[in-house]
Amino acid sequence: MTAASPRQLHLNAFLMNAGHHDAAWRHPRTQPERLTDLRYFQQLARTAERGRFDSVFLADGLALWGKVRHNALGGFEPLTLLSALAAVTEHIGLIATVSTTFNEPFHTARKFASLDHISGGRAGWNIVTSGTVDEARNFGQDEHLEHRLRYERAREFVEVATKLWDSWEDDAILLDRERGVYADTDKVREINHRGEYFGVRGPLNVPRTPQGYPLLVQAGSSQDGKEFAARYAEAVFTAQQTLADGQSFSKDLKSRLARHGRTEDQLLVLPGIAPVIGSTESEARALERELTELQVPEYGLAQLSGMLGTDLTGLPLDGPLPELPEERDINGNKSRFTLVAELARRDGLTLREIIARLGAGRGHRVFAGTPEQIADQLEEWFSQGAADGFNIMPPHLPGGLEDFVDHVVPILQRRGLFRSEYTGRTLREHYGLPRPANRLTATAVADHPSRTGPLGG
């Protein structure tokens, strides 16, 4: 960056039904009856766009998460919803979570290419590997793939998807009405992929998109996850509780990039933060207490059992954690297991206290304070090398997002830390990331004829 264009942070709005706090749906400021109301999500997306956020993001799982008896769970499939949000927004990026474990590359590449065209270049893919038995059992399996194998499949999945997005060159469509030639078939290619998990001929049945590829996002912090991110991800959603942990994670992740021929400016680290905002610190802490008092311990205990791979049912809430398995024996979310276990041990928390601490962020950092105090926290992490931006997780919606946009964003703008206007059209432009070159051009095919071949025509 030059002196005229100082480094600025990036903001993503992580939209979660009534809010990220597991008791948000019980709070009078939320609207849980609107979780399948398109207009509700349109309102949230417009609010984030009014705040000049880089993007909105939707998590997803392929099973009903948690105990629906005690939380407002379930809702829209992300790509379907984001296509509808694209029609009522102009600038904000649209990031959907899609699993590589129980999907196919062709379907996924086609859907994201469609969203990128529909939105004019605003699509992003949060790449995850499904990690729960409940998900496996919705797809005819009694157990899910072992952690390492899930990442092996994910690597091949992304390779196939990127080849499919490259199967059309940018100038393949000729639209020559006089000669009756719609497309130059030398520039529309089969990919002829044969690998361990997938066999895909191609080409994709959607032309190359405004961004070339959607922005590639990843959210795993295990060793496998960090290696995957270093190879493919352009933005990483992560969870750290302290500045030192954030600095260590960012340094570690970016130190891995060179092995994959990448530079540090090609990957952005966005830790999650759940900001509990009040006009005074006491007001913010009062709201935090209100939400904690609305928690259902049975729900929190079940969530904690899932995170730790240990059945905690029946244990005294005011007692400590029992002995836990080793991380190497966890086949679910390894990074979240480690974070929660270390948090509980470091602060000597009882089960009840852990449930309260995880209520708003599920392991992501929670901070209660005034808009100035929250802006101070974001600036410190950003300036001290722990973050390139933040995944904002409002504990309650819609008010928590409105409060951040109306009261925190203006402070960041006044400090020169965040944009006042959009300067680009695509999600990649918002994040300052380049449009990827097509790896399957005629030159690339000539260099690697075994990888692909032109269609006859």
Coordinates of all heavy atoms in Angstrom, one line a residue, residues 35-122:
L35 N -37.8 -16.6 10.3 CA -36.6 -17.3 9.8 C -36.8 -17.9 8.4 O -35.8 -18.2 7.8 CB -36.2 -18.4 10.8 CG -35.9 -17.9 12.2 CD1 -35.2 -19.0 13.0 CD2 -35.0 -16.6 12.2
T36 N -38.0 -18.0 8.0 CA -38.2 -18.4 6.6 C -39.0 -17.3 5.8 O -39.7 -17.6 4.9 CB -39.0 -19.7 6.5 OG1 -40.2 -19.6 7.3 CG2 -38.2 -20.9 7.0
D37 N -38.8 -16.1 6.2 CA -39.3 -14.9 5.5 C -38.2 -14.2 4.7 O -37.3 -13.7 5.3 CB -39.9 -14.0 6.6 CG -40.5 -12.7 6.0 OD1 -40.4 -12.4 4.8 OD2 -41.1 -11.9 6.8
L38 N -38.3 -14.3 3.4 CA -37.3 -13.7 2.6 C -37.0 -12.3 2.9 O -35.9 -11.8 2.9 CB -37.6 -13.9 1.1 CG -36.7 -13.2 0.1 CD1 -35.3 -13.7 0.2 CD2 -37.2 -13.4 -1.3
R39 N -38.1 -11.5 3.2 CA -37.9 -10.1 3.4 C -37.1 -9.8 4.7 O -36.4 -8.8 4.7 CB -39.3 -9.5 3.6 CG -40.2 -9.5 2.4 CD -41.6 -9.1 2.7 NE -42.2 -10.1 3.5 CZ -43.5 -10.1 4.0 NH1 -44.2 -9.1 3.7 NH2 -43.9 -11.0 4.8
Y40 N -37.1 -10.7 5.6 CA -36.2 -10.5 6.8 C -34.7 -10.5 6.4 O -34.0 -9.7 6.8 CB -36.5 -11.7 7.8 CG -35.6 -11.8 9.0 CD1 -35.6 -10.8 10.0 CD2 -34.8 -12.9 9.1 CE1 -34.7 -11.0 11.1 CE2 -33.9 -13.0 10.2 CZ -33.9 -12.1 11.2 OH -33.1 -12.2 12.3
F41 N -34.4 -11.5 5.6 CA -33.0 -11.6 5.2 C -32.6 -10.5 4.2 O -31.5 -10.1 4.1 CB -32.7 -13.0 4.6 CG -32.6 -14.1 5.7 CD1 -33.7 -14.8 6.0 CD2 -31.4 -14.3 6.3 CE1 -33.6 -15.8 7.0 CE2 -31.3 -15.2 7.3 CZ -32.4 -16.0 7.7
Q42 N -33.6 -10.1 3.4 CA -33.3 -8.9 2.5 C -33.0 -7.7 3.3 O -32.1 -6.9 3.0 CB -34.5 -8.7 1.6 CG -34.7 -9.7 0.5 CD -35.9 -9.6 -0.3 OE1 -36.9 -9.0 0.2 NE2 -35.9 -10.0 -1.5
Q43 N -33.7 -7.5 4.4 CA -33.5 -6.4 5.3 C -32.1 -6.5 5.9 O -31.4 -5.5 6.0 CB -34.5 -6.4 6.5 CG -34.3 -5.4 7.6 CD -35.2 -5.7 8.8 OE1 -36.2 -6.4 8.7 NE2 -34.8 -5.1 9.9
L44 N -31.7 -7.7 6.4 CA -30.3 -7.8 6.9 C -29.2 -7.5 5.9 O -28.2 -6.8 6.2 CB -30.2 -9.2 7.5 CG -31.1 -9.6 8.7 CD1 -30.8 -11.1 9.0 CD2 -30.8 -8.8 9.9
A45 N -29.4 -8.0 4.7 CA -28.4 -7.8 3.6 C -28.3 -6.3 3.3 O -27.2 -5.8 3.1 CB -28.8 -8.6 2.4
R46 N -29.4 -5.7 3.2 CA -29.4 -4.2 2.9 C -28.8 -3.4 4.0 O -28.1 -2.4 3.8 CB -30.8 -3.7 2.7 CG -31.4 -4.2 1.3 CD -32.9 -3.8 1.3 NE -33.5 -4.0 0.0 CZ -34.7 -4.4 -0.2 NH1 -35.5 -4.5 0.8 NH2 -35.2 -4.5 -1.4
T47 N -29.0 -3.9 5.3 CA -28.3 -3.2 6.4 C -26.8 -3.3 6.3 O -26.1 -2.4 6.5 CB -28.8 -3.8 7.7 OG1 -30.2 -3.6 7.9 CG2 -28.1 -3.1 8.9
A48 N -26.3 -4.5 6.0 CA -24.9 -4.8 5.9 C -24.3 -3.9 4.7 O -23.2 -3.4 4.8 CB -24.6 -6.2 5.7
E49 N -25.1 -3.9 3.6 CA -24.6 -3.1 2.5 C -24.6 -1.6 2.8 O -23.7 -0.9 2.4 CB -25.5 -3.4 1.3 CG -25.0 -2.7 0.0 CD -25.7 -3.2 -1.3 OE1 -26.9 -2.9 -1.5 OE2 -25.0 -4.0 -2.0
R50 N -25.6 -1.2 3.6 CA -25.6 0.3 4.0 C -24.3 0.5 4.8 O -23.8 1.7 4.8 CB -26.8 0.5 4.8 CG -26.9 1.9 5.4 CD -28.4 2.2 5.9 NE -28.8 1.3 6.9 CZ -28.5 1.4 8.2 NH1 -27.7 2.4 8.6 NH2 -29.0 0.6 9.1
G51 N -23.8 -0.5 5.6 CA -22.6 -0.3 6.3 C -21.4 -0.5 5.5 O -20.3 -0.5 6.1
R52 N -21.5 -0.7 4.2 CA -20.4 -0.9 3.3 C -19.6 -2.2 3.6 O -18.4 -2.3 3.3 CB -19.4 0.3 3.2 CG -20.1 1.6 2.9 CD -20.8 1.6 1.6 NE -21.3 2.9 1.2 CZ -22.5 3.3 1.3 NH1 -23.4 2.5 1.8 NH2 -22.9 4.5 0.9
F53 N -20.2 -3.2 4.2 CA -19.6 -4.5 4.5 C -19.1 -5.1 3.1 O -19.7 -4.9 2.1 CB -20.5 -5.4 5.1 CG -20.6 -5.4 6.6 CD1 -20.9 -4.2 7.3 CD2 -20.3 -6.5 7.4 CE1 -21.0 -4.1 8.6 CE2 -20.4 -6.4 8.8 CZ -20.7 -5.2 9.4
D54 N -18.0 -5.8 3.2 CA -17.5 -6.5 2.0 C -18.5 -7.6 1.6 O -18.7 -7.8 0.4 CB -16.1 -7.2 2.4 CG -15.0 -6.3 2.7 OD1 -15.1 -5.6 3.7 OD2 -14.1 -6.2 1.9
S55 N -19.1 -8.3 2.6 CA -19.9 -9.5 2.3 C -20.8 -9.8 3.4 O -20.6 -9.4 4.6 CB -18.9 -10.7 2.0 OG -17.9 -10.8 3.0
V56 N -21.8 -10.7 3.1 CA -22.6 -11.4 4.0 C -22.3 -12.9 3.8 O -21.9 -13.3 2.8 CB -24.1 -11.1 3.9 CG1 -24.4 -9.7 4.2 CG2 -24.6 -11.6 2.5
F57 N -22.5 -13.6 4.9 CA -22.1 -15.0 4.9 C -23.1 -15.9 5.6 O -23.7 -15.5 6.6 CB -20.7 -15.2 5.6 CG -20.4 -16.5 6.1 CD1 -20.3 -17.6 5.3 CD2 -20.1 -16.8 7.5 CE1 -19.9 -18.9 5.7 CE2 -19.8 -18.0 8.0 CZ -19.7 -19.1 7.1
L58 N -23.4 -17.0 5.0 CA -24.4 -18.0 5.6 C -23.7 -19.3 5.9 O -23.1 -19.9 5.0 CB -25.5 -18.2 4.6 CG -26.4 -17.0 4.3 CD1 -27.4 -17.3 3.2 CD2 -27.1 -16.4 5.5
A59 N -23.7 -19.7 7.1 CA -23.2 -21.1 7.5 C -24.2 -22.1 7.0 O -25.4 -21.8 6.6 CB -23.0 -21.2 9.0
D60 N -23.8 -23.4 7.0 CA -24.8 -24.4 6.6 C -24.3 -25.8 7.2 O -23.1 -26.0 7.4 CB -24.9 -24.5 5.1 CG -26.1 -25.3 4.7 OD1 -27.2 -25.2 5.3 OD2 -26.0 -26.1 3.7
G61 N -25.3 -26.6 7.4 CA -25.0 -28.0 7.7 C -26.0 -28.9 7.0 O -27.0 -28.4 6.6
L62 N -25.7 -30.2 6.9 CA -26.6 -31.1 6.1 C -27.4 -32.0 7.1 O -27.7 -33.1 6.8 CB -25.7 -31.9 5.1 CG -25.1 -31.0 4.1 CD1 -24.1 -31.8 3.3 CD2 -26.1 -30.3 3.2
A63 N -27.6 -31.4 8.3 CA -28.5 -32.0 9.2 C -29.1 -30.9 10.1 O -28.6 -29.8 10.1 CB -27.7 -33.0 10.1
L64 N -30.1 -31.2 10.9 CA -30.6 -30.2 11.8 C -29.7 -30.1 13.0 O -29.5 -31.1 13.8 CB -32.1 -30.7 12.2 CG -32.8 -29.7 13.1 CD1 -33.0 -28.3 12.4 CD2 -34.1 -30.3 13.6
W65 N -29.1 -28.9 13.1 CA -28.1 -28.7 14.2 C -28.8 -28.6 15.5 O -29.8 -27.9 15.7 CB -27.3 -27.4 13.9 CG -26.3 -27.5 12.9 CD1 -25.7 -28.6 12.4 CD2 -25.6 -26.4 12.2 NE1 -24.7 -28.3 11.4 CE2 -24.7 -27.0 11.3 CE3 -25.7 -25.0 12.3 CZ2 -23.9 -26.2 10.5 CZ3 -25.0 -24.2 11.5 CH2 -24.0 -24.8 10.6
G66 N -28.2 -29.2 16.6 CA -28.7 -28.9 17.9 C -30.1 -29.4 18.2 O -30.8 -30.0 17.4
K67 N -30.6 -29.0 19.4 CA -31.9 -29.4 19.9 C -32.9 -28.3 19.5 O -33.0 -27.2 20.1 CB -31.9 -29.6 21.4 CG -31.1 -30.8 21.9 CD -31.3 -31.0 23.4 CE -30.6 -32.3 23.8 NZ -31.4 -33.5 23.4
V68 N -33.7 -28.6 18.5 CA -34.6 -27.6 18.0 C -35.7 -27.3 19.0 O -36.4 -26.3 18.9 CB -35.3 -28.1 16.6 CG1 -36.2 -29.2 16.8 CG2 -35.9 -26.9 15.9
R69 N -35.8 -28.2 20.0 CA -36.8 -27.9 21.1 C -36.4 -26.6 21.8 O -37.3 -25.9 22.3 CB -36.7 -29.1 22.1 CG -37.6 -28.9 23.4 CD -37.6 -30.1 24.3 NE -38.3 -29.9 25.5 CZ -39.7 -30.1 25.6 NH1 -40.4 -30.5 24.5 NH2 -40.3 -29.9 26.7
H70 N -35.1 -26.2 21.8 CA -34.7 -25.1 22.6 C -34.0 -24.0 21.8 O -33.4 -23.1 22.4 CB -33.7 -25.6 23.7 CG -34.3 -26.6 24.7 ND1 -35.4 -26.3 25.4 CD2 -33.9 -27.8 25.0 CE1 -35.7 -27.4 26.2 NE2 -34.8 -28.3 25.9
N71 N -34.0 -24.0 20.5 CA -33.4 -23.0 19.7 C -34.1 -22.9 18.4 O -34.6 -23.9 17.9 CB -31.9 -23.2 19.6 CG -31.1 -22.0 19.2 OD1 -31.7 -20.9 19.0 ND2 -29.8 -22.1 19.1
A72 N -34.0 -21.7 17.8 CA -34.6 -21.4 16.5 C -33.6 -21.9 15.4 O -32.8 -21.1 14.9 CB -34.9 -20.0 16.3
L73 N -33.7 -23.2 15.0 CA -32.8 -23.8 14.1 C -33.5 -24.1 12.8 O -34.7 -24.1 12.7 CB -32.2 -25.1 14.7 CG -31.5 -24.9 16.1 CD1 -31.2 -26.3 16.7 CD2 -30.3 -24.1 15.9
G74 N -32.7 -24.4 11.8 CA -33.2 -24.7 10.5 C -33.4 -23.4 9.7 O -33.3 -22.3 10.2
G75 N -33.8 -23.6 8.4 CA -34.0 -22.4 7.6 C -33.6 -22.6 6.1 O -33.6 -23.8 5.7
F76 N -33.3 -21.6 5.4 CA -33.0 -21.6 4.0 C -31.7 -22.3 3.6 O -30.7 -22.2 4.4 CB -33.0 -20.2 3.4 CG -34.3 -19.5 3.4 CD1 -34.5 -18.3 4.0 CD2 -35.4 -20.1 2.7 CE1 -35.7 -17.7 4.0 CE2 -36.6 -19.4 2.7 CZ -36.8 -18.2 3.4
E77 N -31.7 -22.9 2.5 CA -30.4 -23.4 1.8 C -29.7 -22.2 1.3 O -30.3 -21.3 0.7 CB -30.8 -24.4 0.7 CG -29.6 -25.1 0.1 CD -28.9 -24.2 -0.9 OE1 -29.6 -23.5 -1.7 OE2 -27.6 -24.1 -0.9
P78 N -28.4 -22.0 1.6 CA -27.7 -20.7 1.4 C -27.7 -20.3 0.0 O -28.0 -19.1 -0.3 CB -26.3 -21.0 1.9 CG -26.4 -22.1 2.9 CD -27.6 -23.0 2.4
L79 N -27.4 -21.1 -1.0 CA -27.3 -20.6 -2.4 C -28.6 -20.1 -2.9 O -28.7 -19.1 -3.7 CB -26.7 -21.7 -3.3 CG -25.2 -21.9 -3.2 CD1 -24.7 -23.2 -3.8 CD2 -24.5 -20.7 -3.9
T80 N -29.7 -20.8 -2.5 CA -31.0 -20.4 -2.9 C -31.3 -19.0 -2.4 O -31.8 -18.1 -3.1 CB -32.1 -21.4 -2.4 OG1 -31.7 -22.7 -2.9 CG2 -33.5 -21.0 -3.0
L81 N -31.0 -18.8 -1.1 CA -31.3 -17.5 -0.4 C -30.4 -16.4 -1.0 O -30.9 -15.3 -1.3 CB -31.1 -17.7 1.1 CG -31.2 -16.4 1.9 CD1 -32.6 -15.7 1.7 CD2 -30.9 -16.6 3.4
L82 N -29.2 -16.7 -1.2 CA -28.3 -15.6 -1.7 C -28.6 -15.2 -3.1 O -28.4 -14.0 -3.5 CB -26.8 -16.1 -1.7 CG -26.2 -16.3 -0.2 CD1 -24.8 -16.8 -0.3 CD2 -26.3 -14.9 0.5
S83 N -29.1 -16.1 -3.9 CA -29.6 -15.7 -5.3 C -30.7 -14.7 -5.2 O -30.8 -13.8 -6.0 CB -30.1 -17.0 -6.1 OG -29.0 -17.8 -6.4
A84 N -31.6 -14.9 -4.2 CA -32.7 -14.0 -4.0 C -32.2 -12.6 -3.4 O -32.7 -11.6 -3.8 CB -33.7 -14.6 -3.0
L85 N -31.2 -12.7 -2.5 CA -30.6 -11.5 -2.0 C -29.8 -10.7 -3.1 O -29.7 -9.4 -3.0 CB -29.7 -11.8 -0.8 CG -30.3 -12.5 0.4 CD1 -29.3 -12.6 1.5 CD2 -31.5 -11.7 0.9
A86 N -29.3 -11.4 -4.1 CA -28.6 -10.7 -5.1 C -29.5 -9.7 -5.9 O -29.0 -8.7 -6.4 CB -28.0 -11.7 -6.1
A87 N -30.7 -10.0 -5.9 CA -31.7 -9.2 -6.7 C -32.0 -7.9 -6.0 O -32.5 -7.0 -6.7 CB -32.9 -10.0 -7.0
V88 N -31.8 -7.8 -4.7 CA -32.1 -6.6 -4.0 C -30.9 -5.8 -3.4 O -31.1 -4.9 -2.6 CB -33.1 -6.9 -2.8 CG1 -34.4 -7.5 -3.4 CG2 -32.5 -7.8 -1.8
T89 N -29.7 -6.3 -3.8 CA -28.5 -5.6 -3.4 C -27.7 -5.3 -4.7 O -27.9 -5.9 -5.7 CB -27.7 -6.4 -2.4 OG1 -27.4 -7.7 -3.0 CG2 -28.4 -6.6 -1.1
E90 N -26.7 -4.4 -4.5 CA -25.9 -4.1 -5.7 C -24.4 -4.3 -5.5 O -23.7 -4.6 -6.5 CB -26.0 -2.6 -6.0 CG -27.4 -2.2 -6.5 CD -27.5 -0.7 -6.9 OE1 -26.4 -0.1 -7.1 OE2 -28.6 -0.2 -7.0
H91 N -23.9 -4.3 -4.3 CA -22.5 -4.3 -4.1 C -22.0 -5.4 -3.2 O -20.9 -6.0 -3.4 CB -22.0 -3.0 -3.5 CG -22.2 -1.8 -4.3 ND1 -21.4 -1.5 -5.4 CD2 -23.2 -0.8 -4.3 CE1 -21.8 -0.4 -6.0 NE2 -22.9 0.0 -5.3
I92 N -22.8 -5.8 -2.2 CA -22.2 -6.6 -1.1 C -22.0 -8.0 -1.6 O -22.8 -8.6 -2.4 CB -23.2 -6.6 0.1 CG1 -22.5 -7.1 1.3 CG2 -24.5 -7.4 -0.2 CD1 -23.1 -6.7 2.6
G93 N -20.9 -8.6 -1.2 CA -20.6 -10.0 -1.5 C -21.5 -11.0 -0.9 O -22.1 -10.7 0.2
L94 N -21.6 -12.2 -1.5 CA -22.6 -13.2 -1.1 C -21.9 -14.5 -0.9 O -21.6 -15.2 -1.9 CB -23.7 -13.3 -2.1 CG -24.4 -11.9 -2.4 CD1 -25.2 -12.1 -3.7 CD2 -25.3 -11.5 -1.3
I95 N -21.6 -14.9 0.3 CA -20.8 -16.1 0.6 C -21.6 -17.2 1.2 O -22.3 -17.0 2.2 CB -19.6 -15.8 1.5 CG1 -18.7 -14.7 1.0 CG2 -18.8 -17.0 1.8 CD1 -17.6 -14.2 1.9
A96 N -21.6 -18.4 0.5 CA -22.4 -19.5 0.9 C -21.5 -20.7 1.3 O -20.4 -20.9 0.7 CB -23.3 -20.0 -0.2
T97 N -21.9 -21.4 2.4 CA -21.2 -22.6 2.8 C -21.7 -23.8 2.0 O -22.9 -24.0 2.0 CB -21.4 -22.8 4.3 OG1 -20.9 -21.7 5.0 CG2 -20.8 -24.1 4.8
V98 N -20.8 -24.5 1.4 CA -21.2 -25.8 0.7 C -20.1 -26.8 1.1 O -18.9 -26.6 0.9 CB -21.3 -25.6 -0.8 CG1 -21.5 -26.9 -1.5 CG2 -22.4 -24.7 -1.1
S99 N -20.6 -28.0 1.5 CA -19.7 -29.1 2.0 C -19.1 -29.8 0.8 O -19.8 -30.1 -0.2 CB -20.5 -30.0 2.9 OG -19.7 -31.2 3.1
T100 N -17.9 -30.2 0.9 CA -17.3 -31.1 -0.1 C -17.4 -32.6 0.2 O -17.0 -33.4 -0.6 CB -15.7 -30.8 -0.2 OG1 -15.1 -31.1 1.0 CG2 -15.5 -29.4 -0.6
T101 N -18.0 -32.9 1.3 CA -18.1 -34.3 1.7 C -19.4 -34.9 1.2 O -19.3 -36.1 0.8 CB -18.2 -34.4 3.3 OG1 -17.0 -33.7 3.8 CG2 -18.1 -35.8 3.8
F102 N -20.5 -34.2 1.1 CA -21.7 -34.8 0.6 C -22.3 -34.1 -0.6 O -23.5 -33.9 -0.7 CB -22.8 -34.9 1.7 CG -22.3 -35.7 2.9 CD1 -22.0 -35.2 4.1 CD2 -22.1 -37.1 2.7 CE1 -21.6 -36.0 5.2 CE2 -21.6 -37.9 3.8 CZ -21.4 -37.3 5.0
N103 N -21.4 -33.5 -1.4 CA -21.8 -32.9 -2.7 C -20.9 -33.4 -3.8 O -20.0 -34.1 -3.5 CB -21.8 -31.4 -2.6 CG -22.9 -30.8 -1.8 OD1 -24.1 -30.8 -2.3 ND2 -22.7 -30.2 -0.7
E104 N -21.2 -33.0 -5.0 CA -20.4 -33.3 -6.2 C -19.8 -32.1 -6.8 O -20.5 -31.0 -6.8 CB -21.2 -34.1 -7.2 CG -21.6 -35.5 -6.8 CD -20.4 -36.5 -6.8 OE1 -19.6 -36.3 -7.7 OE2 -20.4 -37.3 -5.9
P105 N -18.6 -32.1 -7.3 CA -18.0 -30.9 -7.9 C -18.8 -30.2 -9.0 O -18.9 -29.0 -9.0 CB -16.6 -31.4 -8.4 CG -16.3 -32.6 -7.6 CD -17.7 -33.2 -7.3
F106 N -19.4 -31.0 -9.9 CA -20.1 -30.4 -11.0 C -21.3 -29.6 -10.5 O -21.4 -28.5 -11.0 CB -20.5 -31.5 -12.0 CG -21.0 -30.9 -13.3 CD1 -20.1 -30.8 -14.4 CD2 -22.3 -30.5 -13.5 CE1 -20.5 -30.2 -15.6 CE2 -22.7 -29.9 -14.7 CZ -21.8 -29.8 -15.7
H107 N -22.1 -30.2 -9.7 CA -23.2 -29.5 -9.1 C -22.8 -28.2 -8.5 O -23.4 -27.1 -8.7 CB -24.0 -30.3 -8.1 CG -24.9 -31.3 -8.7 ND1 -25.8 -31.0 -9.7 CD2 -25.2 -32.6 -8.3 CE1 -26.5 -32.1 -10.0 NE2 -26.1 -33.1 -9.2
T108 N -21.8 -28.3 -7.6 CA -21.3 -27.1 -6.8 C -20.7 -26.0 -7.7 O -21.0 -24.9 -7.6 CB -20.3 -27.6 -5.8 OG1 -20.9 -28.6 -5.0 CG2 -19.8 -26.4 -5.0
A109 N -19.9 -26.4 -8.7 CA -19.3 -25.4 -9.6 C -20.4 -24.7 -10.4 O -20.4 -23.5 -10.6 CB -18.3 -26.1 -10.6
R110 N -21.4 -25.5 -10.8 CA -22.5 -24.9 -11.6 C -23.3 -23.9 -10.8 O -23.6 -22.8 -11.3 CB -23.4 -26.0 -12.1 CG -24.5 -25.6 -13.0 CD -25.5 -26.7 -13.3 NE -26.4 -26.3 -14.4 CZ -27.6 -26.9 -14.6 NH1 -27.9 -28.0 -13.9 NH2 -28.4 -26.5 -15.6
K111 N -23.6 -24.3 -9.6 CA -24.4 -23.4 -8.7 C -23.7 -22.1 -8.4 O -24.3 -21.0 -8.4 CB -24.8 -24.1 -7.4 CG -25.8 -25.2 -7.7 CD -26.0 -26.0 -6.4 CE -27.0 -27.2 -6.6 NZ -27.2 -28.0 -5.4
F112 N -22.4 -22.2 -8.1 CA -21.6 -21.0 -7.8 C -21.4 -20.1 -9.0 O -21.4 -18.9 -9.0 CB -20.3 -21.3 -7.1 CG -20.4 -21.5 -5.6 CD1 -20.3 -22.7 -5.0 CD2 -20.7 -20.4 -4.8 CE1 -20.5 -22.9 -3.7 CE2 -20.8 -20.5 -3.4 CZ -20.7 -21.8 -2.9
A113 N -21.2 -20.8 -10.2 CA -21.1 -20.0 -11.4 C -22.4 -19.3 -11.7 O -22.4 -18.1 -12.1 CB -20.8 -20.9 -12.6
S114 N -23.5 -19.9 -11.4 CA -24.8 -19.3 -11.6 C -25.0 -18.1 -10.7 O -25.4 -17.0 -11.1 CB -25.9 -20.3 -11.4 OG -25.9 -21.3 -12.3
L115 N -24.6 -18.2 -9.4 CA -24.7 -17.1 -8.5 C -23.8 -16.0 -8.8 O -24.2 -14.8 -8.7 CB -24.4 -17.6 -7.0 CG -24.4 -16.5 -5.9 CD1 -25.8 -15.9 -5.8 CD2 -24.0 -17.1 -4.6
D116 N -22.6 -16.3 -9.4 CA -21.7 -15.2 -9.7 C -22.3 -14.4 -10.9 O -22.1 -13.2 -10.9 CB -20.3 -15.8 -10.1 CG -19.2 -14.8 -9.8 OD1 -19.2 -14.2 -8.7 OD2 -18.3 -14.6 -10.7
H117 N -22.9 -15.1 -11.9 CA -23.5 -14.4 -13.0 C -24.7 -13.6 -12.5 O -24.9 -12.4 -12.8 CB -23.9 -15.3 -14.1 CG -22.9 -15.8 -15.0 ND1 -22.2 -14.9 -15.9 CD2 -22.3 -17.0 -15.2 CE1 -21.3 -15.5 -16.6 NE2 -21.3 -16.8 -16.2
I118 N -25.6 -14.2 -11.7 CA -26.8 -13.5 -11.2 C -26.4 -12.3 -10.4 O -27.1 -11.2 -10.6 CB -27.6 -14.5 -10.3 CG1 -28.2 -15.6 -11.2 CG2 -28.7 -13.8 -9.5 CD1 -28.8 -16.8 -10.4
S119 N -25.4 -12.3 -9.6 CA -25.0 -11.2 -8.8 C -24.1 -10.2 -9.4 O -23.7 -9.2 -8.8 CB -24.4 -11.7 -7.5 OG -23.2 -12.4 -7.8
G120 N -23.6 -10.5 -10.6 CA -22.6 -9.6 -11.3 C -21.3 -9.7 -10.7 O -20.5 -8.7 -10.6
G121 N -20.9 -10.9 -10.1 CA -19.5 -11.1 -9.7 C -19.4 -10.9 -8.2 O -18.4 -10.4 -7.7
R122 N -20.4 -11.4 -7.4 CA -20.3 -11.2 -5.9 C -20.4 -12.5 -5.2 O -20.6 -12.5 -3.9 CB -21.5 -10.3 -5.5 CG -21.3 -8.9 -6.0 CD -22.4 -8.0 -5.5 NE -23.7 -8.1 -6.1 CZ -24.9 -8.1 -5.5 NH1 -24.9 -7.9 -4.2 NH2 -26.0 -8.2 -6.2

